[in-house]
mmCIF file of all heavy atoms in Angstrom:
data_model
loop_
_atom_site.group_PDB
_atom_site.id
_atom_site.type_symbol
_atom_site.label_atom_id
_atom_site.label_comp_id
_atom_site.label_asym_id
_atom_site.label_seq_id
_atom_site.Cartn_x
_atom_site.Cartn_y
_atom_site.Cartn_z
ATOM 1 N N ARG V 62 11.544 -3.108 1.444
ATOM 2 C CA ARG V 62 10.827 -4.144 2.243
ATOM 3 C C ARG V 62 11.289 -4.250 3.649
ATOM 4 O O ARG V 62 10.468 -4.253 4.605
ATOM 5 C CB ARG V 62 10.852 -5.515 1.515
ATOM 6 C CG ARG V 62 9.748 -6.442 1.993
ATOM 7 C CD ARG V 62 9.785 -7.737 1.251
ATOM 8 N NE ARG V 62 9.830 -7.584 -0.224
ATOM 9 C CZ ARG V 62 8.742 -7.343 -0.955
ATOM 10 N NH1 ARG V 62 7.568 -7.179 -0.420
ATOM 11 N NH2 ARG V 62 8.834 -7.196 -2.282
ATOM 12 N N PRO V 63 12.599 -4.283 3.932
ATOM 13 C CA PRO V 63 13.047 -4.464 5.356
ATOM 14 C C PRO V 63 12.824 -3.265 6.246
ATOM 15 O O PRO V 63 12.910 -3.349 7.428
ATOM 16 C CB PRO V 63 14.523 -4.795 5.192
ATOM 17 C CG PRO V 63 14.792 -5.030 3.767
ATOM 18 C CD PRO V 63 13.716 -4.315 2.982
ATOM 19 N N ILE V 64 12.618 -2.093 5.637
ATOM 20 C CA ILE V 64 12.535 -0.867 6.456
ATOM 21 C C ILE V 64 11.175 -0.166 6.401
ATOM 22 O O ILE V 64 11.020 0.964 6.812
ATOM 23 C CB ILE V 64 13.650 0.156 6.046
ATOM 24 C CG1 ILE V 64 13.628 0.382 4.574
ATOM 25 C CG2 ILE V 64 15.005 -0.329 6.533
ATOM 26 C CD1 ILE V 64 14.557 1.475 4.056
ATOM 27 N N THR V 65 10.196 -0.891 5.839
ATOM 28 C CA THR V 65 8.812 -0.340 5.823
ATOM 29 C C THR V 65 7.840 -1.369 6.401
ATOM 30 O O THR V 65 8.188 -2.553 6.538
ATOM 31 C CB THR V 65 8.340 0.007 4.426
ATOM 32 O OG1 THR V 65 8.411 -1.188 3.598
ATOM 33 C CG2 THR V 65 9.249 1.066 3.808
ATOM 34 N N LYS V 66 6.606 -0.906 6.707
ATOM 35 C CA LYS V 66 5.579 -1.818 7.103
ATOM 36 C C LYS V 66 4.873 -2.401 5.923
ATOM 37 O O LYS V 66 4.221 -3.444 6.055
ATOM 38 C CB LYS V 66 4.546 -1.028 7.977
ATOM 39 C CG LYS V 66 5.124 -0.485 9.223
ATOM 40 C CD LYS V 66 4.069 0.256 10.082
ATOM 41 C CE LYS V 66 3.089 -0.728 10.734
ATOM 42 N NZ LYS V 66 2.097 -0.041 11.605
ATOM 43 N N TYR V 67 4.969 -1.721 4.747
ATOM 44 C CA TYR V 67 4.323 -2.246 3.556
ATOM 45 C C TYR V 67 4.927 -1.555 2.350
ATOM 46 O O TYR V 67 5.221 -0.360 2.410
ATOM 47 C CB TYR V 67 2.800 -1.867 3.613
ATOM 48 C CG TYR V 67 2.032 -2.321 2.431
ATOM 49 C CD1 TYR V 67 1.619 -3.652 2.233
ATOM 50 C CD2 TYR V 67 1.622 -1.403 1.407
ATOM 51 C CE1 TYR V 67 0.878 -4.035 1.164
ATOM 52 C CE2 TYR V 67 0.882 -1.797 0.356
ATOM 53 C CZ TYR V 67 0.490 -3.107 0.190
ATOM 54 O OH TYR V 67 -0.213 -3.526 -0.898
ATOM 55 N N THR V 68 5.202 -2.324 1.291
ATOM 56 C CA THR V 68 5.702 -1.759 0.020
ATOM 57 C C THR V 68 5.116 -2.509 -1.126
ATOM 58 O O THR V 68 4.894 -3.681 -1.058
ATOM 59 C CB THR V 68 7.261 -1.861 0.010
ATOM 60 O OG1 THR V 68 7.699 -1.307 -1.250
ATOM 61 C CG2 THR V 68 7.781 -3.232 0.217
ATOM 62 N N HIS V 69 4.764 -1.775 -2.213
ATOM 63 C CA HIS V 69 4.039 -2.394 -3.337
ATOM 64 C C HIS V 69 4.250 -1.595 -4.641
ATOM 65 O O HIS V 69 4.306 -0.371 -4.583
ATOM 66 C CB HIS V 69 2.556 -2.395 -2.956
ATOM 67 C CG HIS V 69 1.667 -2.957 -3.971
ATOM 68 N ND1 HIS V 69 1.525 -4.324 -4.214
ATOM 69 C CD2 HIS V 69 0.809 -2.382 -4.915
ATOM 70 C CE1 HIS V 69 0.628 -4.545 -5.182
ATOM 71 N NE2 HIS V 69 0.167 -3.408 -5.624
ATOM 72 N N GLN V 70 4.371 -2.331 -5.691
ATOM 73 C CA GLN V 70 4.362 -1.701 -7.026
ATOM 74 C C GLN V 70 2.986 -1.715 -7.612
ATOM 75 O O GLN V 70 2.329 -2.748 -7.685
ATOM 76 C CB GLN V 70 5.306 -2.421 -7.995
ATOM 77 C CG GLN V 70 5.374 -1.792 -9.401
ATOM 78 C CD GLN V 70 6.086 -2.617 -10.429
ATOM 79 O OE1 GLN V 70 5.562 -3.663 -10.836
ATOM 80 N NE2 GLN V 70 7.256 -2.215 -10.768
ATOM 81 N N LEU V 71 2.466 -0.536 -7.997
ATOM 82 C CA LEU V 71 1.168 -0.435 -8.600
ATOM 83 C C LEU V 71 1.275 -0.888 -10.062
ATOM 84 O O LEU V 71 1.908 -0.196 -10.849
ATOM 85 C CB LEU V 71 0.640 0.977 -8.509
ATOM 86 C CG LEU V 71 0.282 1.481 -7.098
ATOM 87 C CD1 LEU V 71 0.136 3.009 -7.073
ATOM 88 C CD2 LEU V 71 -1.008 0.814 -6.622
ATOM 89 N N ALA V 72 0.629 -1.980 -10.380
ATOM 90 C CA ALA V 72 0.671 -2.512 -11.740
ATOM 91 C C ALA V 72 -0.641 -2.258 -12.481
ATOM 92 O O ALA V 72 -0.731 -2.529 -13.684
ATOM 93 C CB ALA V 72 0.966 -3.995 -11.739
ATOM 94 N N SER V 73 -1.642 -1.730 -11.814
ATOM 95 C CA SER V 73 -2.928 -1.462 -12.434
ATOM 96 C C SER V 73 -3.556 -0.241 -11.762
ATOM 97 O O SER V 73 -3.544 -0.139 -10.496
ATOM 98 C CB SER V 73 -3.849 -2.683 -12.284
ATOM 99 O OG SER V 73 -5.211 -2.336 -12.572
ATOM 100 N N ALA V 74 -4.135 0.600 -12.524
ATOM 101 C CA ALA V 74 -4.799 1.793 -12.028
ATOM 102 C C ALA V 74 -5.948 1.394 -11.119
ATOM 103 O O ALA V 74 -6.314 2.121 -10.162
ATOM 104 C CB ALA V 74 -5.276 2.688 -13.125
ATOM 105 N N ASP V 75 -6.626 0.296 -11.417
ATOM 106 C CA ASP V 75 -7.835 -0.135 -10.649
ATOM 107 C C ASP V 75 -7.509 -0.425 -9.181
ATOM 108 O O ASP V 75 -8.331 -0.362 -8.338
ATOM 109 C CB ASP V 75 -8.426 -1.371 -11.283
ATOM 110 C CG ASP V 75 -9.042 -1.089 -12.648
ATOM 111 O OD1 ASP V 75 -9.317 0.122 -12.967
ATOM 112 O OD2 ASP V 75 -9.242 -2.043 -13.440
ATOM 113 N N ASN V 76 -6.210 -0.749 -8.923
ATOM 114 C CA ASN V 76 -5.804 -1.094 -7.548
ATOM 115 C C ASN V 76 -5.384 0.065 -6.670
ATOM 116 O O ASN V 76 -5.099 -0.094 -5.511
ATOM 117 C CB ASN V 76 -4.673 -2.136 -7.604
ATOM 118 C CG ASN V 76 -5.136 -3.492 -8.089
ATOM 119 O OD1 ASN V 76 -6.308 -3.835 -7.980
ATOM 120 N ND2 ASN V 76 -4.196 -4.261 -8.637
ATOM 121 N N ILE V 77 -5.359 1.224 -7.266
ATOM 122 C CA ILE V 77 -4.785 2.386 -6.541
ATOM 123 C C ILE V 77 -5.601 2.692 -5.262
ATOM 124 O O ILE V 77 -4.995 2.831 -4.208
ATOM 125 C CB ILE V 77 -4.755 3.613 -7.443
ATOM 126 C CG1 ILE V 77 -3.656 3.464 -8.510
ATOM 127 C CG2 ILE V 77 -4.555 4.903 -6.657
ATOM 128 C CD1 ILE V 77 -3.629 4.561 -9.573
ATOM 129 N N PRO V 78 -6.934 2.775 -5.310
ATOM 130 C CA PRO V 78 -7.633 3.105 -4.063
ATOM 131 C C PRO V 78 -7.388 2.130 -2.924
ATOM 132 O O PRO V 78 -7.178 2.554 -1.767
ATOM 133 C CB PRO V 78 -9.120 3.081 -4.475
ATOM 134 C CG PRO V 78 -9.067 3.376 -5.938
ATOM 135 C CD PRO V 78 -7.843 2.708 -6.469
ATOM 136 N N SER V 79 -7.375 0.819 -3.172
ATOM 137 C CA SER V 79 -7.191 -0.135 -2.118
ATOM 138 C C SER V 79 -5.782 -0.111 -1.560
ATOM 139 O O SER V 79 -5.579 -0.218 -0.361
ATOM 140 C CB SER V 79 -7.530 -1.548 -2.574
ATOM 141 O OG SER V 79 -6.675 -1.959 -3.655
ATOM 142 N N ARG V 80 -4.792 0.097 -2.469
ATOM 143 C CA ARG V 80 -3.397 0.128 -2.012
ATOM 144 C C ARG V 80 -3.066 1.384 -1.227
ATOM 145 O O ARG V 80 -2.358 1.375 -0.230
ATOM 146 C CB ARG V 80 -2.430 -0.004 -3.192
ATOM 147 C CG ARG V 80 -2.494 -1.308 -3.925
ATOM 148 C CD ARG V 80 -2.373 -2.534 -3.072
ATOM 149 N NE ARG V 80 -3.688 -2.947 -2.558
ATOM 150 C CZ ARG V 80 -3.904 -3.790 -1.565
ATOM 151 N NH1 ARG V 80 -2.914 -4.248 -0.817
ATOM 152 N NH2 ARG V 80 -5.147 -4.159 -1.219
ATOM 153 N N VAL V 81 -3.650 2.558 -1.640
ATOM 154 C CA VAL V 81 -3.426 3.782 -0.890
ATOM 155 C C VAL V 81 -4.083 3.638 0.489
ATOM 156 O O VAL V 81 -3.477 4.013 1.487
ATOM 157 C CB VAL V 81 -3.997 5.013 -1.676
ATOM 158 C CG1 VAL V 81 -3.983 6.268 -0.779
ATOM 159 C CG2 VAL V 81 -3.187 5.220 -2.927
ATOM 160 N N ARG V 82 -5.304 3.182 0.547
ATOM 161 C CA ARG V 82 -5.990 3.004 1.827
ATOM 162 C C ARG V 82 -5.206 2.085 2.708
ATOM 163 O O ARG V 82 -5.043 2.315 3.931
ATOM 164 C CB ARG V 82 -7.382 2.439 1.578
ATOM 165 C CG ARG V 82 -8.250 2.129 2.862
ATOM 166 C CD ARG V 82 -8.912 3.349 3.445
ATOM 167 N NE ARG V 82 -8.051 4.281 4.143
ATOM 168 C CZ ARG V 82 -7.771 4.124 5.448
ATOM 169 N NH1 ARG V 82 -8.186 3.094 6.172
ATOM 170 N NH2 ARG V 82 -6.987 5.016 6.045
ATOM 171 N N GLU V 83 -4.656 0.980 2.170
ATOM 172 C CA GLU V 83 -3.905 0.023 2.986
ATOM 173 C C GLU V 83 -2.619 0.696 3.520
ATOM 174 O O GLU V 83 -2.220 0.455 4.652
ATOM 175 C CB GLU V 83 -3.532 -1.179 2.140
ATOM 176 C CG GLU V 83 -2.792 -2.297 2.866
ATOM 177 C CD GLU V 83 -3.665 -3.042 3.880
ATOM 178 O OE1 GLU V 83 -4.789 -2.547 4.234
ATOM 179 O OE2 GLU V 83 -3.205 -4.091 4.371
ATOM 180 N N CYS V 84 -1.974 1.529 2.734
ATOM 181 C CA CYS V 84 -0.783 2.230 3.158
ATOM 182 C C CYS V 84 -1.088 3.158 4.376
ATOM 183 O O CYS V 84 -0.371 3.167 5.336
ATOM 184 C CB CYS V 84 -0.165 3.019 2.049
ATOM 185 S SG CYS V 84 0.783 2.047 0.858
ATOM 186 N N PHE V 85 -2.179 3.867 4.246
ATOM 187 C CA PHE V 85 -2.540 4.799 5.374
ATOM 188 C C PHE V 85 -2.937 3.977 6.608
ATOM 189 O O PHE V 85 -2.587 4.387 7.736
ATOM 190 C CB PHE V 85 -3.668 5.738 4.927
ATOM 191 C CG PHE V 85 -3.200 6.928 4.202
ATOM 192 C CD1 PHE V 85 -2.843 6.864 2.869
ATOM 193 C CD2 PHE V 85 -3.090 8.154 4.816
ATOM 194 C CE1 PHE V 85 -2.391 7.968 2.143
ATOM 195 C CE2 PHE V 85 -2.597 9.244 4.124
ATOM 196 C CZ PHE V 85 -2.275 9.170 2.820
ATOM 197 N N ARG V 86 -3.670 2.937 6.412
ATOM 198 C CA ARG V 86 -4.059 2.101 7.592
ATOM 199 C C ARG V 86 -2.872 1.580 8.293
ATOM 200 O O ARG V 86 -2.766 1.672 9.539
ATOM 201 C CB ARG V 86 -4.933 0.945 7.110
ATOM 202 C CG ARG V 86 -5.473 0.071 8.186
ATOM 203 C CD ARG V 86 -6.260 -1.154 7.661
ATOM 204 N NE ARG V 86 -5.346 -2.112 7.097
ATOM 205 C CZ ARG V 86 -4.663 -3.071 7.804
ATOM 206 N NH1 ARG V 86 -4.791 -3.103 9.176
ATOM 207 N NH2 ARG V 86 -3.925 -3.929 7.222
ATOM 208 N N LEU V 87 -1.925 1.011 7.577
ATOM 209 C CA LEU V 87 -0.747 0.360 8.210
ATOM 210 C C LEU V 87 0.256 1.405 8.727
ATOM 211 O O LEU V 87 0.848 1.229 9.768
ATOM 212 C CB LEU V 87 -0.033 -0.538 7.212
ATOM 213 C CG LEU V 87 -0.787 -1.864 6.871
ATOM 214 C CD1 LEU V 87 -0.128 -2.561 5.692
ATOM 215 C CD2 LEU V 87 -0.874 -2.752 8.054
ATOM 216 N N ALA V 88 0.381 2.538 8.021
ATOM 217 C CA ALA V 88 1.292 3.556 8.476
ATOM 218 C C ALA V 88 0.877 4.126 9.847
ATOM 219 O O ALA V 88 1.711 4.369 10.711
ATOM 220 C CB ALA V 88 1.361 4.725 7.467
ATOM 221 N N GLU V 89 -0.454 4.249 10.072
ATOM 222 C CA GLU V 89 -0.918 4.886 11.313
ATOM 223 C C GLU V 89 -1.255 3.890 12.433
ATOM 224 O O GLU V 89 -1.380 4.247 13.579
ATOM 225 C CB GLU V 89 -2.200 5.701 10.985
ATOM 226 C CG GLU V 89 -1.891 6.912 10.077
ATOM 227 C CD GLU V 89 -3.135 7.604 9.549
ATOM 228 O OE1 GLU V 89 -4.235 7.376 10.156
ATOM 229 O OE2 GLU V 89 -3.021 8.401 8.650
#
């Protein structure tokens, strides 16, 4: 958490697309 812009544990397969998209959006 202190060294990233976003960190998350995937607890459901249904959330994978939104969390991956969010990671790419924030990373860039």
Side-chain angles (χ1 to χ4, degrees):
R62 201 177 309 280
I64 52 174
T65 59
K66 297 181 72 177
Y67 180 78
T68 178
H69 179 77
Q70 182 191 71
L71 290 166
S73 167
D75 294 341
N76 289 337
I77 289 172
S79 63
R80 295 309 90 196
V81 171
R82 176 83 283 275
E83 183 71 347
C84 281
F85 276 78
R86 183 185 73 82
L87 288 170
E89 294 172 14

